[in-house]
Amino acid sequence: MAAEFDKCGISCIHEAAVTEAREHMINEEKAQALADTFKTLADPTRVKMLFALLNRELCVCDLAAVIGASESAVSHQLRMLRTQRLVKFRREGKIMFYSLNDNHIITLFEQGIDHIGHS
Amino acid sequence: MAAEFDKCGISCIHEAAVTEAREHMINEEKAQALADTFKTLADPTRVKMLFALLNRELCVCDLAAVIGASESAVSHQLRMLRTQRLVKFRREGKIMFYSLNDNHIITLFEQGIDHIGHS
DNA sequence: TTGTCATATGAACAACTGTTCATATGACAA
DNA sequence: TTGTCATATGAACAGTTGTTCATATGACAA
């Protein structure tokens, strides 16, 4: 039942399952993009920031006050959230208001909380 | 309209919004647990491993063959996936078969893919 | 202009992550 | 027992991450 795959030289046991899994495998770019999205959610500071934005827009120093971090740290993290398009912003004078970009984050949080609940 | 919060000494601008956000804030433990869950999904190798397990169980060397990584690397990553209860396993002789622990991962992937699709 | 406020950015640094290589374990066969 | 196979684990190391501190930008007021 054992078989060899020339491609990588790694031996495997269940050829049919491996072949099928390979055919449906996500491609490298998408895997990286998906990992990058989750990476953006993979830090307690950013989790709290997004949580704070669930029902309202907030400016940078509001966010800093809510989660108890420096404004500089918050600003750095906001850049990452912007890059991953998890938040959007609008300017009003000197103040930048940040809010959630779409509601995928809400669903992701719900599923995540649901998962950690099943301990 | 500006106000000071004694607690952390950080000035903020929109007191009402900050107070409300604070009242609904996720606690430190949950934020960390949520971040840890997302951290587990935040690596392309693990993304591919979970993707391979979407519709079938696979053993360690199968997984290594599917994603093109060493069996050692896969085994290390499986430990993390086990710790976060994203995969479960059963033994059959010397072989360990891994499979998804619940369907939260499926929903998380769907939402994640949906998000990266909105570029 | 000059000054101040809100935010952004760059450099630096400790802490963490994922891989590789070597070794260990545990199950089975001979 | 001994040997082998499938998997797990530990140490080590480069690469990455999140924070802090200092500095820069950009908007508004005087």
Side-chain angles (χ1 to χ4, degrees), chain B residues 72-90:
Chain B
S72 179
V74 166
S75 185
H76 275 295
Q77 300 294 19
L78 279 170
R79 178 151 64 152
M80 185 168 184
L81 295 173
R82 266 187 280 129
T83 304
Q84 288 295 319
R85 305 181 324 287
L86 291 176
V87 298
K88 60 180 188 290
F89 59 94
R90 68 180 181 88

Side-chain angles (χ1 to χ4, degrees), chain A residues 13 39 42-43 45-46 70 72-73 76-77 80 91 93-94:
Chain A
I13 312 226
K39 199 175 292 181
D43 175 80
T45 301
R46 289 192 294 273
S70 75
S72 178
H76 276 294
Q77 300 293 17
M80 184 168 186
R91 175 182 285 281
K94 311 176 221 175

Side-chain angles (χ1 to χ4, degrees), chain A residues 17-79:
Chain A
V18 169
T19 302
E20 202 198 41
R22 271 196 171 158
E23 278 163 4
H24 297 95
M25 182 47 60
I26 192 174
N27 70 48
E28 190 64 40
E29 287 166 29
K30 275 203 175 179
Q32 186 64 60
L34 204 47
D36 287 343
T37 297
F38 288 125
K39 199 175 292 181
T40 312
L41 302 168
D43 175 80
T45 301
R46 289 192 294 273
V47 165
K48 285 186 261 179
M49 287 171 64
L50 292 168
F51 217 86
L53 295 172
L54 273 183
N55 294 306
R56 65 201 70 77
E57 63 175 12
L58 291 169
C59 73
V60 177
C61 61
D62 289 344
L63 269 171
V66 171
I67 68 169
S70 75
E71 295 176 17
S72 178
V74 166
S75 184
H76 276 294
Q77 300 293 17
L78 280 169
R79 176 151 67 153

Side-chain angles (χ1 to χ4, degrees), chain B residues 4-10 22:
Chain B
E4 290 280 343
F5 277 83
D6 308 340
K7 227 171 187 178
C8 56
I10 296 172
R22 273 197 171 159

Side-chain angles (χ1 to χ4, degrees), chain A residues 12 29 48 82 86 89 93 104 119:
Chain A
C12 65
E29 287 166 29
K48 285 186 261 179
R82 266 188 279 130
L86 291 175
F89 58 94
H104 289 126
S119 300

